[in-house]
Amino acid sequence: MAGLPTQLTVRVIKGRCHEKGFRVRQLTLVTTLLDAELYPAQEILRAYLRRWRLEMCLDDLKPL
């Protein structure tokens, strides 16, 4: 494990995502995107939910 850092700085994002037709979700995400101005928390939460939905769609497409 010579190439791994001894410490890693992360940002913890806690928030709620509201999407029409879905339940409100309370999320806690950990990211290395540290700049809150460049990467707003709500945008990271939305991106996570979009990816989650895409993952679910991919599961539907996989053969049994």
Side-chain angles (χ1 to χ4, degrees):
M1 297 207 202
L4 297 176
T6 57
Q7 291 185 346
L8 182 64
T9 302
V10 296
R11 176 178 165 203
V12 177
I13 298 172
K14 292 183 179 184
R16 292 176 180 247
C17 282
H18 310 273
E19 292 212 23
K20 190 174 181 174
F22 293 92
R23 288 182 281 176
V24 174
R25 297 184 79 177
Q26 179 72 33
L27 298 172
T28 302
L29 302 176
V30 178
T31 182
T32 56
L33 301 173
L34 302 177
D35 189 338
E37 285 187 31
L38 192 56
Y39 306 104
Q42 200 60 34
E43 289 298 316
I44 292 174
L45 291 168
R46 279 192 211 113
Y48 172 81
L49 286 179
R50 278 193 305 268
R51 178 176 174 160
W52 182 259
R53 283 195 309 271
L54 288 171
E55 293 283 342
M56 295 294 100
C57 289
L58 287 174
D59 281 349
D60 291 341
L61 294 174
K62 291 179 183 177
L64 298 176

